[in-house]
Amino acid sequence: MNEVMKKYLLVALIGFCTGLAGVYVGWNLMTSQGGVPAEVAYSSTISEGNSGEFHNAPIHNPVSERSIAEIGSDFSYASERTTPSVVFIQTLSEYEYRTGSWLDWFFEPRTSQQIGSGSGVILSQDGYIVTNNHVIDDADVIKVTHNKKSYDAQLIGVDPSTDLAVIKIEGKNLPAVNIGKSDQVKVGEWVLAVGNPFNLTSTVTAGIVSAKGRNINILRDKFPIESFIQTDAAINPGNSGGALVNQKGELIGINTAILSKTGSYTGYGFAVPSNIVKKVYNDIVKYGEVQKAFIGAEYVDIDSDMANKMQLTNLNGVIVANVQKQGAAAKAGLEKGDVLRMVNGTQIISKAYLEEYIGNLYPGDELTIVLQREGKEITKNITLTNREGTTGIIVRNLVTSEYLAATFENVSKVERDLIGINNGVKVVDYNAKGFFAGLGIPEGFIITNINNTAIENPKELIDILEKIRGRVIISGIDKRGRKVYYPYYF
């Protein structure tokens, strides 16, 4: 027998012996765990937080009897509790629009139709539903599908600053979701996203909370509150307005946005925290609008460059960038350049944190702010105000004209100060087939002047538009803060 043959036989013998040893070890592992391979036993029965310690809890307990420790990485419990509370929303928008230029004198307005869809979450048994404002924005018709049944929905109110809206359907004993406390959510915690991506109803995806207090500059409102919960649960178009829930099946956020260059999921989704959702919902249902509290100051996060220039050793907190005249901060003595460090005994981590904190408060609530100014620590007490600079409850005052088929409201003092105008009336809503719709002026537009006459209130605006004839120029401010004019001949 040559040397080559001997080497082949030696390798074969070693392989055979190794195989026997593997079978022996594997058999002992199986019999020591009751005939189940160790890897499978670990993943299916190990309790959360006990690495390597097994328990004998059955894996098919009824949903209502299972504890979180028993749930482990099984998301069926949260899914079964939450899916019935998430609805499918479809919208239809029809409108005529003009270019806002001199060409409108020669051409008829163009007509456009837009169809959209998204998700919503049932918050009450009698049919109140929360969703994203961008899901139902400018919709003339809102349809809700729940449990294969279709409903016509009524818009109750919106809050563009948080991108939330409340709608209502006529129903009884609907499966309302349980609302959790978003401030108790921890980074790394397992969560589920429930919604209707790409019109695929009742879709559930899983992930973890990857960050909190995210500000991604996506909201275009003049007073945005961005303190998103970031998750890597798959969120796609159609998930907007859907539920982000914890393993207990409690709502901890409303899925709102994704970070993507393609428009589809690429790893990051963002949800409005449930604490903010709860306040917005309660205010809209009770008062018709959110009772927003204002501090009367603008502030920015602290970065390394700012810290070096201001000789700051601590990057926590925010720097006051502007103080509104006669606002709450000004009355309390805050100044541009102040570094806000603590609020009501809690450290201010970032701008997003402070915005979320104030977003849960009401006009009249007080803040005790610890700030740093020129190296000295100072304490200030601030009484938060409403959008008119007072501390009372504000009930939205809408004025409607049947002739114009449109609704208007005054522009708040806070908003007037922000955009630098002394007067104006905001277009709230109008009938797509009414007189005002034919003007092509969009909702949210602020009318400041008609033929160089300042417009002070909705009644004055309605009186002029119902009677004016001849050449008319309506001017004002659009949603982007630009000055725009609309020429007509009545």
Side-chain angles (χ1 to χ4, degrees):
M1 182 180 294
N2 57 35
E3 293 299 322
V4 175
M5 184 62 71
K6 288 181 180 180
K7 290 181 179 180
Y8 276 119
L9 289 174
L10 180 60
V11 171
L13 180 62
I14 292 173
F16 178 73
C17 293
T18 303
L20 287 177
V23 171
Y24 176 77
V25 172
W27 175 258
N28 281 340
L29 285 173
M30 290 176 66
T31 54
S32 67
Q33 298 298 336
V36 181
E39 184 179 353
V40 176
Y42 178 87
S43 64
S44 62
T45 62
I46 192 167
S47 61
E48 186 177 18
N50 295 325
S51 57
E53 180 181 346
F54 293 83
H55 62 82
N56 296 319
I59 62 174
H60 297 297
N61 277 352
V63 172
S64 60
E65 297 179 3
R66 298 175 65 186
S67 68
I68 295 302
E70 294 170 330
I71 292 170
S73 59
D74 179 3
F75 304 112
S76 61
Y77 176 83
S79 178
E80 289 174 19
R81 292 194 65 180
T82 309
T83 302
S85 301
V86 178
V87 302
F88 180 46
I89 297 175
Q90 293 175 297
T91 63
L92 174 65
S93 304
E94 295 181 344
Y95 55 91
E96 294 181 345
Y97 65 97
R98 297 174 181 263
T99 63
S101 72
W102 61 271
L103 293 173
D104 291 335
W105 290 89
F106 305 100
F107 298 98
E108 291 295 323
R110 289 175 285 180
T111 302
S112 178
Q113 187 178 79
Q114 185 175 353
I115 298 174
S117 65
S119 305
V121 183
I122 300 173
L123 293 192
S124 71
Q125 292 184 338
D126 59 346
Y128 283 98
I129 296 169
V130 68
T131 184
N132 282 138
N133 180 52
H134 74 258
V135 171
I136 53 84
D137 192 27
D138 294 329
D140 295 304
V141 178
I142 304 174
K143 291 282 188 181
V144 170
T145 302
H146 176 255
N147 197 22
K148 298 182 179 181
K149 186 176 180 180
S150 180
Y151 300 84
D152 290 321
Q154 174 190 0
L155 178 61
I156 302 300
V158 301
D159 181 36
S161 68
T162 56
D163 195 17
L164 294 174
V166 177
I167 61 176
K168 189 179 187 304
I169 60 175
E170 294 302 321
K172 296 180 179 180
N173 300 319
L174 296 173
V177 74
N178 291 324
I179 302 178
K181 297 180 178 179
S182 56
D183 58 336
Q184 297 181 3
V185 174
K186 297 180 180 179
V187 174
E189 180 179 336
W190 281 106
V191 290
L192 293 182
V194 188
N196 307 283
F198 303 116
N199 294 335
L200 300 173
T201 58
S202 301
T203 296
V204 178
T205 56
I208 64 169
V209 173
S210 48
K212 294 179 64 179
R214 283 293 195 213
N215 186 325
I216 57 177
N217 295 317
I218 193 174
L219 300 182
R220 300 306 177 198
D221 187 71
K222 294 179 177 64
F223 309 102
I225 299 177
E226 288 198 14
S227 186
F228 292 114
I229 297 173
Q230 179 181 319
T231 176
D232 62 359
I235 297 174
N236 281 293
N239 273 111
S240 290
L244 186 71
V245 302
N246 59 21
Q247 286 185 274
K248 298 177 183 179
E250 297 172 334
L251 182 75
I252 60 168
I254 294 295
N255 297 319
T256 298
I258 57 177
L259 188 62
S260 171
K261 294 181 179 179
T262 64
S264 297
Y265 172 74
T266 56
Y268 299 102
F270 302 91
V272 179
S274 60
N275 286 8
I276 291 179
V277 174
K278 186 175 181 180
K279 180 182 185 299
V280 169
Y281 165 73
N282 287 334
D283 284 358
I284 287 177
V285 172
K286 187 174 182 179
Y287 303 110
E289 73 166 278
V290 178
Q291 301 301 307
K292 196 177 300 295
F294 291 92
I295 193 173
E298 297 178 37
Y299 32 83
V300 296
D301 283 317
I302 304 173
D303 57 24
S304 298
D305 291 337
M306 290 183 179
N308 290 332
K309 290 179 181 178
M310 300 181 67
Q311 298 181 341
L312 303 176
T313 58
N314 187 346
L315 296 182
N316 284 327
V318 296
I319 300 173
V320 176
N322 184 46
V323 178
Q324 178 189 346
K325 294 181 180 179
Q326 299 180 347
K331 292 178 180 178
L334 264 66
E335 298 177 3
K336 182 178 179 179
D338 285 345
V339 182
L340 309 187
R341 296 294 193 184
M342 300 188 71
V343 54
N344 289 351
T346 303
Q347 188 177 58
I348 299 172
I349 302 171
S350 63
K351 174 185 176 183
Y353 174 86
L354 183 56
E355 286 178 347
E356 181 179 355
Y357 189 93
I358 296 175
N360 285 301
L361 301 177
Y362 285 87
D365 287 346
E366 293 190 358
L367 299 180
T368 298
I369 296 284
V370 177
L371 60 88
Q372 183 178 339
R373 180 188 297 169
E374 297 179 352
K376 297 180 181 179
E377 187 176 282
I378 303 173
T379 300
K380 297 286 187 180
N381 294 317
I382 302 176
T383 301
L384 300 175
T385 64
N386 57 34
R387 56 184 172 87
E388 295 298 338
T390 63
T391 58
I393 295 297
I394 290 182
V395 178
R396 196 174 187 185
N397 184 22
L398 303 178
V399 181
T400 300
S401 165
E402 293 185 5
Y403 176 81
L404 300 177
T407 302
F408 309 93
E409 69 176 343
N410 281 316
V411 181
S412 70
K413 181 181 184 301
V414 171
E415 190 170 354
R416 293 198 308 271
D417 291 344
L418 180 67
I419 60 182
I421 59 175
N422 296 319
N423 59 279
V425 172
K426 182 178 292 186
V427 179
V428 177
D429 190 16
Y430 52 81
N431 188 311
K433 298 181 181 180
F435 176 86
F436 193 85
L439 301 180
I441 299 177
E443 293 177 2
F445 188 82
I446 297 174
I447 299 175
T448 58
N449 297 83
I450 297 180
N451 288 354
N452 294 323
T453 299
I455 303 301
E456 301 289 346
N457 56 68
K459 185 178 184 303
E460 184 178 71
L461 171 67
I462 291 171
D463 288 342
I464 292 175
L465 288 181
E466 287 182 351
K467 299 174 182 177
I468 197 167
R469 295 294 182 268
R471 185 174 180 270
V472 178
I473 296 179
I474 298 176
S475 56
I477 309 296
D478 68 7
K479 288 184 177 181
R480 297 182 180 180
R482 301 175 303 181
K483 293 182 178 180
V484 179
Y485 74 91
Y486 293 87
Y488 308 97
Y489 192 87
F490 295 148

